[in-house]
Amino acid sequence: MIIVITGASHTGKTLLAQQMLGKFKYPYLSIDHLKMGLIRSGNTSLTPEDDDALTDYLWPIVREIIKTAIENGQHLIVEGCYIPFDWRNDFDEQYQPSIQFICLGMTDEYIETHFNQIKSHSSEIELRLNDDYCTIESLKVDNRKYIDGFQNVGEQVVQINTDYEQTIRTIMSAIKKTPSFC
């Protein structure tokens, strides 16, 4: 089984991936780690701020990693924000049953009510050296982009509205550990 986790910044994608790693013991691929490896090694002139261009650059690599894992009957958790809205178009019917997709998004109300809590957890798993760019308004815009973008292509988005921890527990209990490889 391949579990793909995406969503806006600060939604807890990495935390969820880490919890799944602990529960299922599946290998875990952080797209951010791949991005930084390619940037730091000089294999691209893109920078961490080039979000749209990074999606175009990274997705073909991640897509083929996912296909290879499915073809080899391997489990994998893939986490990151560089997943295009129309990602399903890149997978034939033979691959799609093996992929569980999760998109996290926070509602405007949740962001307004829990902003200080969101910021206090921003380095929970990985250290954010500078988080000054994260404002209530930037979080709303980023979350709306992901919610609208994925919903417009028919994807379900897990919208965090009241209780983050309960939302994550619900996701964790809904994931089936049994493989669905073809």
Side-chain angles (χ1 to χ4, degrees), residues 31-32 35-36 39 44-59 81-83 145-146:
I31 301 175
D32 278 343
K35 167 189 77 177
M36 291 311 298
I39 290 171
T44 180
S45 60
L46 296 172
T47 71
E49 288 78 37
D50 296 325
D51 284 340
D52 291 337
L54 281 165
T55 299
D56 293 341
Y57 180 70
L58 295 169
W59 178 243
C81 60
Y82 303 105
I83 309 290
K145 173 186 165 188
Y146 279 84

Side-chain angles (χ1 to χ4, degrees), residues 70-71 73 92-99 179-182:
I70 292 170
E71 291 163 357
D92 295 337
E93 292 175 11
Q94 70 183 30
Y95 295 106
Q96 289 195 30
S98 299
I99 303 171
S180 56
F181 292 112
C182 303

